[in-house]
Amino acid sequence: MSNIIDGKAFAEKLRGEIASRVSKLKAQHNLTPGLAVVLVGEDPASEVYVRNKAKQTVEVGMESIEHKLPAETTEADLLALVEKLNNDKTIHGILVQLPLPEHINESKVLDSIHYEKDVDGFHLMNVGLLGTGGDGVVPCTPLGCIMMLKDRLGSLSGMNAVVVGRSNIVGKPMANLLLQESCTVTIAHSRTQDLAGVCRGADILVAAVGRPEMIPGDWVKPGAAVIDVGINRIERDGKKKLVGDVDFASASSVAGAITPVPGGVGPMTIACLLHNTVQQACRQHDIALPDA
Ligand code: GUN
């Protein structure tokens, strides 16, 4: 088996399973999960994300609703829209695309989404449920990472896992998920002493720092599983290129398994968003998640 973890193929398989669950929900419960995505302003990267989300939502048979608001939208108007979506029974998931314009308080908006309609896992209730091993919604990127790790390695119990990066969106929830899998977890960050040595002790190394190719192959323990969450746009030899936080060329000759960039973690994130939407639709209707 190749040591490359093919996130694109994995995401395709997951979307197939989601489509099958959605068709069962429609046939057996007359329920079509609906996802509302709210975009404020005209950030080009966000517009691409939102377009991809809408396309894939429809492809698995779900309802997709987009709200595009001008950059000058007030916080009060955005909160009013979220409230309307909270009360709309045809909407089961609400995603407010980040970043928001500076005049809007991001955490206030995220916490205004009803936690049972939160599909990002950013609501404090879901953050708390993850931290206490409860049954909430898990942030999409770390969820995709843990799915790929379990698929490749089976049980993660007892393994040394190092997460480089301590963001609320990836680093911290990733560490919690690895802890739930009974790993011994270290969260490393920009102030960590002997980062190279810490990384070399990892059976599972998750890089989520947002620094192009910061982790070289000689920081990777031979045979380790490397999950590269970084998506960095760089220019090399006059060409624009997408690279991760790991130096793929050197790390892939040492790692037992490694996700490439692009084609690793990235495609899994939207697939997990669709998964979370189905999960929330089932929860709101008190239905068990159908088999795929
Ligand atoms: N902006 C970039 N990625 C994400 C994401 O996963 N969720 C939200 N809400 N905004 C984002």
Side-chain angles (χ1 to χ4, degrees), residues 52 79 114 134 175 250 263 270 272:
N52 285 336
L79 290 170
H114 192 286
S250 59
I270 297 184
C272 287

Side-chain angles (χ1 to χ4, degrees), residues 46 49 53 95-99 110 120 122 140-141 169 269 273:
S46 290
Y49 277 138
K53 281 171 193 165
L95 181 141
V96 176
Q97 182 71 21
L98 303 179
L110 294 178
D120 270 321
F122 296 165
C140 305
T141 300
I169 294 180
T269 298
L273 171 71

